[in-house]
Amino acid sequence: MSAANAAPGQGPRAISIDIRSVNKRYPAAANSAGVVALDDVSLDVKSGEVVVIIGPSGSGKSTLLRTINALEKIDSGTIVVNGDVVTDKATNLPVLRSKVGMVFQHFNLFAHKTAIENVVLPQVAVKGRPRAEAEENARRFLGKVGMLERANNYPSQLSGGQQQRVAIARALALNPQVMLFDEATSALDPETVGGVLDLMCELASEGMTMVVVTHEMHFAREVADRVVFMDAGAIVEIGSPAQVFRNAQNERTRKFLSLVG
């Protein structure tokens, strides 16, 4: 059964992320109209659904992902995450971001803090948890991602794959309702990509709502409930993995998939 579909008799899943008519333009140098990053983008993500966004570099994938927790401001449109209107100036963004975990391409760990400290600090600063509780929670999630034995290591003592696992533990320790992955494996060497993808698969199987930007087509085929293809800031095609990979309707989609395999 698809993660996005409820069991018989339970009805459809609620919409977790609702993106409506979002536009964003990056300013450019004088005498330039700027760059259209997002062009009238609308997308909904159901609770427990895994949506994978694919497309060429510069197509707006990462920009769209970053608008979901207001790391990128939009020019127009609305974004609602589990009832919180991201685009409302009255929304408490630190609280929102504690509910929306994000894993970046380049880990973003504190270099001068150990692995466990990297997981503890956001819990104390954002959630206001007592340190003892935060440390217990950190150990639990470091164990979940297979990094408990490295809890006292600094990022410089960890491989890229290990650092990314710590980054995932840090996000999970805040008990997010949604997880966003922005090219989480693209900075890793081939030997460590598989372990991080396996961890993401495990999260998906546990029912975590996930939006994933990736170039890993195998992950998109096997794990996604829906695949979104973006180009030039717009959603060009959206459907199940079978629909997009085997029977793409748009020529741009077919051309892209023929190049990436």
Side-chain angles (χ1 to χ4, degrees):
M1 180 181 68
S2 168
N5 297 321
Q10 292 184 346
R13 292 282 181 93
I15 292 177
S16 181
I17 302 171
D18 191 12
I19 300 168
R20 286 287 166 262
S21 302
V22 166
N23 292 277
K24 179 177 178 62
R25 180 186 295 272
Y26 287 118
N31 303 319
S32 172
V35 177
V36 175
L38 297 173
D39 183 8
D40 196 30
V41 172
S42 294
L43 175 69
D44 62 74
V45 180
K46 298 178 180 65
S47 177
E49 186 176 24
V50 179
V51 171
V52 174
I53 305 175
I54 63 174
S57 297
S59 60
K61 307 184 302 295
S62 293
T63 299
L64 178 59
L65 202 71
R66 291 167 64 87
T67 65
I68 295 173
N69 62 355
L71 289 176
E72 291 278 3
K73 292 184 178 180
I74 62 175
D75 298 327
S76 62
T78 59
I79 302 173
V80 181
V81 179
N82 289 334
D84 293 321
V85 183
V86 178
T87 45
D88 189 335
K89 292 181 179 179
T91 297
N92 186 321
L93 293 182
V95 172
L96 170 74
R97 289 171 182 149
S98 73
K99 301 176 184 178
V100 183
M102 187 159 186
V103 179
F104 300 88
Q105 177 179 351
H106 293 293
F107 324 134
N108 290 353
L109 298 179
F110 294 112
H112 62 293
K113 299 291 185 181
T114 62
I116 192 168
E117 282 294 311
N118 267 280
V119 182
V120 166
L121 285 175
Q123 297 180 69
V124 174
V126 177
K127 290 286 192 180
R129 287 176 181 156
R131 187 171 182 86
E133 179 185 341
E135 287 185 357
E136 180 180 353
N137 210 34
R139 292 185 183 280
R140 179 162 65 92
F141 282 103
L142 285 171
K144 179 178 179 64
V145 302
M147 287 299 295
L148 186 56
E149 292 184 357
R150 298 279 192 155
N152 295 316
N153 286 79
Y154 290 89
S156 62
Q157 298 171 312
L158 302 173
S159 69
Q162 289 170 334
Q163 290 184 61
Q164 195 61 292
R165 287 172 177 269
V166 173
I168 293 172
R170 177 180 59 186
L172 292 175
L174 294 174
N175 302 117
Q177 299 166 345
V178 173
M179 283 288 288
L180 311 176
F181 292 87
D182 188 11
E183 299 284 11
T185 61
S186 62
L188 304 180
D189 62 79
E191 291 184 353
T192 58
V193 167
V196 173
L197 289 176
D198 287 345
L199 179 55
M200 293 167 64
C201 290
E202 181 181 340
L203 292 176
S205 70
E206 293 172 355
M208 175 65 74
T209 306
M210 295 167 56
V211 184
V212 181
V213 170
T214 186
H215 289 296
E216 299 288 342
M217 295 300 112
H218 179 73
F219 179 89
R221 286 189 183 95
E222 298 299 321
V223 181
D225 292 299
R226 286 186 295 157
V227 175
V228 175
F229 174 71
M230 291 187 69
D231 191 26
I235 291 179
V236 175
E237 191 149 0
I238 183 168
S240 69
Q243 290 169 332
V244 173
F245 285 101
R246 299 177 190 170
N247 191 32
Q249 299 300 299
N250 190 282
E251 176 60 28
R252 283 185 286 174
T253 312
R254 292 194 294 269
K255 182 177 180 180
F256 174 79
L257 293 174
S258 72
L259 294 173
V260 298

